[in-house]
Amino acid sequence: MNGRSSASRVLARRLLAEFVGTALLVTMVVGSGIAAAQLSPGDVGVQLLENSIATAFGLAVLILLFGPVSGAHFNPAVSAADWLLGRRAGTGISGQHLVAYTIVQAIGGVAGALLANIMFDRQVFEIATKDRLTTGHLIGEVVATAGLIALIFTLARTGRAGLSAAAVGAYIGAAYWFTSSTSFANPAVTIGRAFSDSFAGIAPNSVPAFIAAQLVGALIGLTLVVALYPGVAAAADEVVVPHGNTDN
């Protein structure tokens, strides 16, 4: 009984970390997008620069803050890749925990967008109208997500997971610019951004295709890292950063 109770408390803490972390990530993305549009009206390039800098640095901070508790996935694609990779090796996240992570990440994404709307005196509940559904954008999402997954699992496999905060933040900041989609690379963030009709928004009709492209990208990234590092499954417990040392 005590073992079950302890495991439940550990899971509760991890889910709280994933919820709050994902919510704050979306708040940073959407909030900085709204601020950028207000500060630099008419200059989309400067707006994107402001948005990408805030997101890159903010994501690094969130990984440092919540990583020791939950691993700082903040992304259903990362959690799914962790589960898929660790199935045979007995490592990584369990199937039940994958479902729980995905649910709280998605809810957190929506909550983060609503919080950004509130902070900038917008309507609390908005539906984005920015249509992003183009072939180029979908390919951009495949590329962005594949690179993110390959980076995260390579760092874990090579014993450099401690660099994930800086490396993942830097990658996402760069991918804002080298991908046509501005690198959502995250189903939970994609869902959240549909709830703010702002610079960072995405129309609901674009969301399913974006998520499908992200999942394809995750599989490609995982395939690449398995080919490069055949023993990577053993490191699934270290994604995105080593966690569990706060469980007691």
Side-chain angles (χ1 to χ4, degrees), residues 164-175:
S164 291
V168 171
Y171 175 80
I172 291 298

Side-chain angles (χ1 to χ4, degrees), residues 26 101 104 132 136 193 204 211 232:
V26 175
Y101 265 47
V104 299
R132 298 178 183 264
R193 289 171 67 165
I211 292 176
V232 67

Side-chain angles (χ1 to χ4, degrees), residues 138-221:
L138 296 181
I139 293 174
E141 281 302 287
V142 171
V143 171
T145 311
L148 176 64
I149 295 298
L151 171 63
I152 288 170
F153 284 89
T154 294
L155 290 174
R157 174 63 181 88
T158 57
R160 296 177 294 165
L163 298 176
S164 291
V168 171
Y171 175 80
I172 291 298
Y176 257 83
W177 292 91
F178 75 74
T179 64
S180 56
S181 63
T182 67
S183 183
F184 285 46
N186 184 331
V189 168
T190 304
I191 292 170
R193 289 171 67 165
F195 289 88
S196 184
D197 191 19
S198 63
F199 175 80
I202 177 173
N205 67 297
S206 300
V207 169
F210 260 57
I211 292 176
Q214 289 157 3
L215 295 178
V216 170
L219 287 174
I220 292 174

